[in-house]
Structures are given as C-alpha cells and as structure tokens.
Amino acid sequence: MAAAASPDDQVVTAAIAVIGNEILSGSVQDENIAYIARGLNEIGIQLREVRVVPDIHQEIADAVNVLRRRWDYVFTTGGIGPTHDDITAEAMGVAFDRKVDYHPEAYARLAAFYEQRGQEFTEGRKRMTLAPEGAELVNNDAMIAPGLKIENVFVLAGVPRIAHAMFEAAKPYLKRGSIVQSRGITTHLMEGDMAERLSAIQDKYPASDIGSYPFYNTPRGNGVKLIVRATDKVLIEEIGDEIRTMIGSLSGEVIEDDRSW
Amino acid sequence: MAAAASPDDQVVTAAIAVIGNEILSGSVQDENIAYIARGLNEIGIQLREVRVVPDIHQEIADAVNVLRRRWDYVFTTGGIGPTHDDITAEAMGVAFDRKVDYHPEAYARLAAFYEQRGQEFTEGRKRMTLAPEGAELVNNDAMIAPGLKIENVFVLAGVPRIAHAMFEAAKPYLKRGSIVQSRGITTHLMEGDMAERLSAIQDKYPASDIGSYPFYNTPRGNGVKLIVRATDKVLIEEIGDEIRTMIGSLSGEVIEDDRSW
C-alpha cells in the first residue's frame, strides 16, 4: 500500500542516505532514521526510502544521485567530522561533479572559534569546512561546524545529538506537504482472526494506509497494533470507528486508541 | 575506506532489504539491522548495504533484484504475516518472475497446527504459507510459519524476536568468509587533535579499516571511540598498540580497550 493520499494532497517526499560502516558492522545502532522520519511527518513530508552505504566515495555518490533525482529531498547522515573516514563532503563533490574546497565562511568561523579557545586549527578541523562549490551552510545550535545544503541534498552529522540539531536547522528550507495523521488501535486479538475483515476495510478506504503490527511476549502479552494513516482526520476517525466495531464483533477489546493529532 | 581485506581473505557479502512503512513513518524503531549485522560478522559475512523500502510490490522487487545480483546474500525483513499489508511473498514472485502459491508443506503444517488448537485456518493464516515456486522453507524455533529461501534471498519476519530466530535458522545455509575482528579504543582526546596522526596510521595499514566515532555529553563526557577492523588479529594488535602510543604522545589516556575476540 502506498502512503495514504487524497487527490488534493500536496505530496512532498524525502529519502535518507546513512553513511556508516559502523551501522553496517553492527557496532552502532542507528538513532537518526526514526527521528528524521517523525520530524518530516510533522511537516507533511513523506520519507520514502532509506539506504545505508559504506564509507566509500563512489558508493555514497551513487546512492545520493539516485535518491536526489527520485525524491524531493535527501538527507545524508554521518561522515562530516575531522578524521580520515569523514568523506561525505568529498563524496558530494563526486555526486554533483563539483570541486570541493574549504568553504570560506565556515573556514573563517572555525578559525576564529579555535583561536578564541586557544586550540590549534588542525588540518583535521579544517576538513570540517570542506564543501562542494556552491553549497550553502546550514548553521545549527549544537556545533560550530555547519551542515550543508547542495540543491535538494542536506548533509548532516552522524552523532545523533548533532544530526538532530542539524535536521532542525534544515527544516526552514523545506517546502511542506499535506500532513499524514495516524491513529493506532491496539487489541489482544490475533492478526489471523481479523485479517479478512481488515483487508475489506482497507479496500473500502484506498485513501488510507492501514498497517498491522503484531507483538508477542511483551508486558501486555500478545496482540496487534493497527495503525491507520491518512491526511484526512475525519476519514481516520471513520476508519478507526469501523475497526473498533470490527474488533467488537470478534469479541475483542480495544486496549489503546492513540491519535497523532 | 572499504571493509578491511587482506589478499587471502574469503570475502562473503550480504545486504538487507527492510520492508516497512512503519520504519519509514518513524512509528517503529528497527531492531533487526544491528542484530543481523553482528550475526553475519560472527560467521565472516560482511553486510555491505541496507535499503528500507515501503510496502509496495514493485519497490520491494526492484530493491531485492539489485541487491541479490550485487551481493552474495540478501535478507528481507517484514511483511510475511496474515494481513493485507504482508506482501513480501508476492513481491518475491515479482522479483523472480515466478508464480506464487501456497507452499504445500507449509500449508499442511499450518492447517494441522490450527486444527489442533481448535482455531480456524483463515484466509489470512493461509497467506502465511504463500511462496514463489521453488522456494525452500526455512523452519525456525519461534514460529510455526517458516521463513523462505529463494536462491540467495532469505525472507524473514519483521517482528524482532521472530526475525532473529529466522535469521539463526538461515545461518546453516550460508557459506562463511574470513571473520573481520575489531578492537575499540576509547579516549577523551578530541578527534581534531589526532586526525592527522590517525590518518597516517590508516594510510600505513591499508588492510585495516579504522573508524573514528566521537561522543558528546555522555556519562563519560566527551571523547572518541576508535574502532580498528581487520581479518588479521596480529595486525589489529599492532595497529591498536600504535594508536595507544599516538594517544599517549598527545598526553591522552586510553579509557577502554575492547577486543572482539
């Protein structure tokens, strides 16, 4: 099922390219995808694809080139620090076929920052000011080093606290679409007992997206969370009520009913 | 930097296709990528790429077709339950251009299971036995419904407990490669202070992959975890010792030194 859509919807889409050997090796658990996904939702942008790629220039460039042509916005996370494995700015140069050099404004700011702190402005720290020609700086509250905007691509840090701040700083640049709202209805019924009835409800409401997420052996036992997503709250209310009736008709009980608005 | 490799290494690679609107909407935090990544590491298989795609047949098929031709193995997670949004088996039919039908063995087993429990074998539950022609069943300890193996593609559940059990059940089918070991050295030094020295060490040891992961405002304050990865433990020892010496030369302290073996 595609993301819920009505004919009048303003559909704005995005993708994330996670740049990170540390995610692919399992050393680090990603904490940015869900944060960015939820933040995009809140402003009516639909995350449609994520790719996790290794720290290799051409792999990063290839992924970003596919994603930036396919979706309205791309966010990269990771690889913008001072060390040898921080190659995202250079990889963006490959992707956009542009020269990469120290960005004058970022360079001047970081030079002043380290001078004021009495720390050396090392070659590594200078690397944090690398940017493809024509990139805009996206300044943020968490770090003196900026994120980058190159056309529809936003280059963010990998460290979650900084990635999140850089994403917030990128938001003002984004056009907003119709917001997809959600309602989550949880029951102890089993998926297999209601699958046909649920399918009939989904068929009746093509402008919504109904997801079914079972859980097992949790503190509340076994059950299913049904999530209805659509841009039209009235429609979600109607579908949700129909799901509640369906659950009741199977002698089930609704144990939670959460609305996102 | 590519994953660490020596000329004698047996390099075996894999990718994951996460099938899940719930991940793209931020409703659910993925718990399978890191588990599978670490499990693959343990048997010498390198995870090289991850894609998260929505619950749309063609999107799933396209991603799996790219990944299965590029890497030795592909694992899909999600979309194999009884409800209308569980479309992975059908999407595999699209990807492999094969007819999809109830798998006789899985069907017989589930029919017997539900009969024994006095539960109806509903159309939804029957959907859990769908498989493309020629698929093998991958039986597991967590669930009566099996995972699937279609050539080099393994179809796993999305619910973490079941996905993990299905992945364990898939392991005996996998050829094993040279195991990439790791050593993690943590210091309170800042990345910018050691970036050039670290880069020189990386350049000296091309058969290793040195990653630098800063942390901020954690219970142990600020600092960096350096992770050395290679198939050769002796080499890792040597590189690690050189990093320790480098940290000492900058008047830094090693606050943790973890080996994976």
Side-chain angles (χ1 to χ4, degrees):
Chain A
M1 187 60 46
S6 301
D8 297 338
D9 283 353
Q10 294 283 47
V11 178
V12 184
T13 60
I16 301 174
V18 176
I19 296 159
N21 286 355
E22 70 277 23
I23 307 290
L24 292 173
S25 69
S27 320
V28 172
Q29 165 75 43
D30 166 78
E31 297 177 32
N32 295 324
I33 296 171
Y35 183 91
I36 294 173
R38 287 192 296 263
L40 290 172
N41 262 344
E42 284 164 14
I43 56 173
I45 300 177
Q46 300 175 14
L47 180 64
R48 290 290 183 87
E49 188 174 355
V50 177
R51 297 195 185 185
V52 186
V53 295
D55 301 351
I56 298 173
H57 292 84
Q58 196 61 53
E59 296 267 339
I60 299 167
D62 289 348
V64 166
N65 277 341
V66 170
L67 297 174
R68 72 188 174 98
R69 288 169 186 142
R70 190 162 188 209
W71 311 114
D72 293 322
Y73 298 110
V74 178
F75 301 87
T76 73
T77 65
I80 65 165
T83 54
H84 62 278
D85 57 336
D86 291 310
I87 60 170
T88 305
E90 291 158 0
M92 291 305 106
V94 176
F96 286 87
D97 194 20
R98 296 191 195 174
K99 198 166 154 284
V100 173
D101 207 345
Y102 299 135
H103 188 288
E105 187 186 328
Y107 190 95
R109 190 194 312 159
L110 266 71
F113 174 80
Y114 288 110
E115 190 180 354
Q116 199 186 352
R117 291 167 55 128
Q119 290 180 309
E120 194 189 343
F121 191 29
T122 58
E123 292 305 311
R125 287 176 175 137
K126 288 176 187 169
R127 282 178 61 78
M128 293 164 69
T129 73
L130 286 176
E133 227 164 31
E136 290 177 57
L137 305 185
V138 180
N139 299 315
N140 66 88
D141 296 334
M143 214 186 182
I144 185 75
L148 297 176
K149 173 185 183 302
I150 312 136
E151 296 182 7
N152 62 338
V153 177
F154 292 84
V155 173
L156 314 178
V159 175
R161 192 179 60 90
I162 302 171
H164 301 177
M166 286 185 171
F167 171 68
E168 295 305 325
K171 274 186 180 174
Y173 294 87
L174 308 174
K175 70 179 174 210
R176 290 159 186 236
S178 303
I179 294 175
V180 177
Q181 306 283 0
S182 68
R183 181 174 171 186
I185 298 175
T186 307
T187 170
H188 286 308
L189 287 180
M190 294 171 72
E191 279 193 306
D193 289 320
M194 57 184 173
E196 288 84 53
R197 285 176 176 85
L198 195 63
S199 184
I201 297 174
Q202 174 70 83
D203 289 345
K204 183 172 164 190
Y205 296 102
S208 77
D209 171 29
I210 306 175
S212 172
Y213 306 107
F215 53 88
Y216 306 97
N217 298 334
T218 70
R220 19 186 221 189
N222 301 338
V224 184
K225 182 168 188 175
L226 302 170
I227 302 181
V228 185
R229 304 180 79 238
T231 51
D232 180 343
K233 291 179 201 173
V234 177
L235 185 71
I236 298 185
E237 285 293 319
E238 190 179 327
I239 299 170
D241 293 347
E242 211 161 307
I243 288 174
R244 295 187 66 115
T245 304
M246 180 267 288
I247 289 170
S249 76
L250 291 165
S251 309
E253 204 183 324
V254 171
I255 58 175
E256 204 179 347
D257 191 344
D258 274 342
R259 286 163 182 78
S260 68
W261 63 90
Chain B
M1 186 60 45
S6 300
D8 297 338
D9 284 351
Q10 294 283 43
V11 178
V12 185
T13 60
I16 301 175
V18 176
I19 296 158
N21 285 355
E22 71 278 23
I23 307 291
L24 293 173
S25 69
S27 321
V28 171
Q29 165 74 44
D30 165 79
E31 296 177 34
N32 295 325
I33 296 172
Y35 183 92
I36 294 173
R38 286 193 296 264
L40 290 172
N41 263 345
E42 283 165 16
I43 56 173
I45 299 177
Q46 298 175 15
L47 180 64
R48 290 290 183 86
E49 188 174 355
V50 177
R51 296 195 185 184
V52 186
V53 295
D55 301 350
I56 298 174
H57 292 83
Q58 195 62 52
E59 296 267 336
I60 299 167
D62 288 348
V64 166
N65 277 340
V66 170
L67 297 173
R68 72 188 174 98
R69 287 168 186 143
R70 190 163 186 207
W71 311 113
D72 293 321
Y73 299 110
V74 177
F75 300 88
T76 71
T77 65
I80 65 165
T83 54
H84 62 277
D85 57 336
D86 291 308
I87 60 171
T88 305
E90 290 157 2
M92 291 305 106
V94 176
F96 286 87
D97 194 19
R98 296 190 195 175
K99 197 166 155 288
V100 173
D101 206 344
Y102 299 135
H103 188 289
E105 188 186 328
Y107 190 95
R109 191 194 312 158
L110 265 73
F113 174 80
Y114 288 111
E115 189 180 353
Q116 199 186 351
R117 289 167 56 128
Q119 289 180 309
E120 195 188 345
F121 192 30
T122 58
E123 290 306 310
R125 288 176 174 138
K126 289 176 188 170
R127 282 177 61 78
M128 294 163 68
T129 73
L130 285 176
E133 225 164 34
E136 289 177 57
L137 305 186
V138 180
N139 299 316
N140 66 88
D141 295 336
M143 212 187 184
I144 185 75
L148 296 177
K149 173 184 184 303
I150 312 138
E151 296 182 7
N152 63 338
V153 177
F154 292 85
V155 174
L156 315 178
V159 175
R161 191 178 61 89
I162 302 171
H164 301 178
M166 285 183 172
F167 172 69
E168 296 304 327
K171 273 185 178 173
Y173 293 87
L174 309 174
K175 69 179 175 210
R176 289 160 186 235
S178 303
I179 293 174
V180 177
Q181 306 282 2
S182 69
R183 181 172 171 188
I185 298 175
T186 307
T187 169
H188 286 308
L189 287 179
M190 293 170 71
E191 280 194 305
D193 289 320
M194 57 183 173
E196 288 83 54
R197 286 176 175 84
L198 195 63
S199 184
I201 297 174
Q202 173 70 81
D203 289 345
K204 184 172 164 190
Y205 297 102
S208 76
D209 170 28
I210 307 176
S212 173
Y213 307 106
F215 53 89
Y216 305 99
N217 299 334
T218 70
R220 19 186 222 188
N222 301 338
V224 185
K225 181 168 190 176
L226 301 170
I227 301 182
V228 186
R229 304 180 79 237
T231 50
D232 180 342
K233 291 179 200 173
V234 176
L235 185 71
I236 297 184
E237 284 294 317
E238 191 179 328
I239 300 170
D241 293 348
E242 212 160 307
I243 288 174
R244 296 187 64 116
T245 303
M246 180 268 287
I247 289 171
S249 76
L250 291 166
S251 310
E253 204 182 323
V254 171
I255 57 175
E256 204 180 348
D257 191 345
D258 275 341
R259 287 164 182 79
S260 68
W261 62 90

